[in-house]
């Protein structure tokens, strides 16, 4: 079975002509591969325009944090290397503020945060692909008017209450 197979068109003849053309045009593999090439493009192809900025924000934020933490990691790594190089002509900017062990701890912390940010970016990228793939499968899924939920004000009466009831909310599901 092909993971990126086209939508099942065996029942397309039962649909109106304009829908038949759309069924034959919308491709699951196009949506998936577009998200692989450019994150968010699959969401745009599936006409889920509101999801693309979420993907971009997730990737941009996690990549931004990775760059920031990498810069701090390099700074403290270099400070430690200067501290232990036994060259009297070099001094690190943190001389008198941090011990050598504290510099190691700080650089390790920034390295871990950088690595975590990269893992999160990879996760957001993978989610982007999976979301485009699933949305392409559900592109023609119709929930129509068969499914609804209504929240409305109501009066609630108790067993010992006479007259008017107490105000409340009623949640009604229609299947």
């Amino acid at each position: 079975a092909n993971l990126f197979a086209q939508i099942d068109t065996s029942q397309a003849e039962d649909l109106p002509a304009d829908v038949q053309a759309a069924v034959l045009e919308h491709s699951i593999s196009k949506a998936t591969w577009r998200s692989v090439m450019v994150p968010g493009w699959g969401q745009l192809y599936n006409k889920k325009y509101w999801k693309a900025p979420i993907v971009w924000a997730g990737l941009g934020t996690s990549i931004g944090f990775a760059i920031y933490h990498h810069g701090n990691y390099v700074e403290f790594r270099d400070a430690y290397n200067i501290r232990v190089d036994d060259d009297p002509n070099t001094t690190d900017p943190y001389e008198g503020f941090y011990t050598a062990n504290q510099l190691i701890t700080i650089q390790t912390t920034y390295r871990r945060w950088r690595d975590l940010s990269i893992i999160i970016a990879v996760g957001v990228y993978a989610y982007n692909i999976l979301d485009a793939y699933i949305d392409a499968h559900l592109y023609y899924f119709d929930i129509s008017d068969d499914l609804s939920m209504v929240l409305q004000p109501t009066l609630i009466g108790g067993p010992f209450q006479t007259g008017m009831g107490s105000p409340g909310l009623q949640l009604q599901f229609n299947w």
Side-chain angles (χ1 to χ4, degrees):
N2 183 0
L3 181 63
F4 303 115
Q6 294 284 336
I7 195 167
D8 180 21
T9 57
S10 61
Q11 298 173 346
E13 64 272 357
D14 299 336
L15 300 172
D18 58 335
V19 176
Q20 283 180 15
V23 167
L24 299 175
E25 287 177 12
H26 194 79
S27 169
I28 295 168
S29 64
K30 279 184 184 177
T32 305
W33 285 110
R34 286 178 182 190
S35 275
V36 168
M37 290 185 289
V38 178
W41 192 11
Q43 284 74 11
L44 296 174
Y45 177 76
N46 288 331
K47 296 184 177 20
K48 302 287 183 167
Y49 303 112
W50 63 275
K51 289 184 177 184
I54 294 171
V55 169
W56 299 330
L59 281 173
T61 302
S62 57
I63 290 171
F65 275 119
I67 292 168
Y68 173 76
H69 294 312
H70 179 70
N72 286 332
Y73 162 71
V74 168
E75 180 180 340
F76 283 97
R77 181 196 63 196
D78 292 345
Y80 175 76
N81 290 336
I82 290 170
R83 172 97 39 106
V84 296
D85 70 356
D86 293 332
D87 183 3
N89 297 328
T90 59
T91 58
D92 68 270
Y94 301 107
E95 185 76 42
F97 292 109
Y98 298 117
T99 66
N101 286 337
Q102 287 174 326
L103 288 175
I104 291 172
T105 302
I106 293 169
Q107 75 175 346
T108 302
T109 301
Y110 278 117
R111 187 187 70 234
R112 286 180 181 168
W113 288 349
R114 177 203 60 194
D115 295 347
L116 179 61
S117 297
I118 292 169
I119 291 169
I120 290 171
V122 169
V124 171
Y125 178 73
Y127 169 77
N128 150 69
I129 296 168
L130 184 64
D131 179 68
Y133 176 73
I134 291 171
D135 270 346
H137 269 287
L138 299 175
Y139 188 76
Y140 294 105
F141 183 73
D142 182 23
I143 59 171
S144 66
D145 295 330
D146 299 337
L147 188 63
S148 65
M149 179 178 75
V150 177
L151 182 66
Q152 59 189 17
T154 186
L155 293 176
I156 302 172
F160 302 110
Q161 191 172 6
T162 58
M164 289 188 57
S166 300
L169 290 173
Q170 175 183 357
L171 182 62
Q172 178 180 351
F173 292 100
N174 295 324
W175 303 98

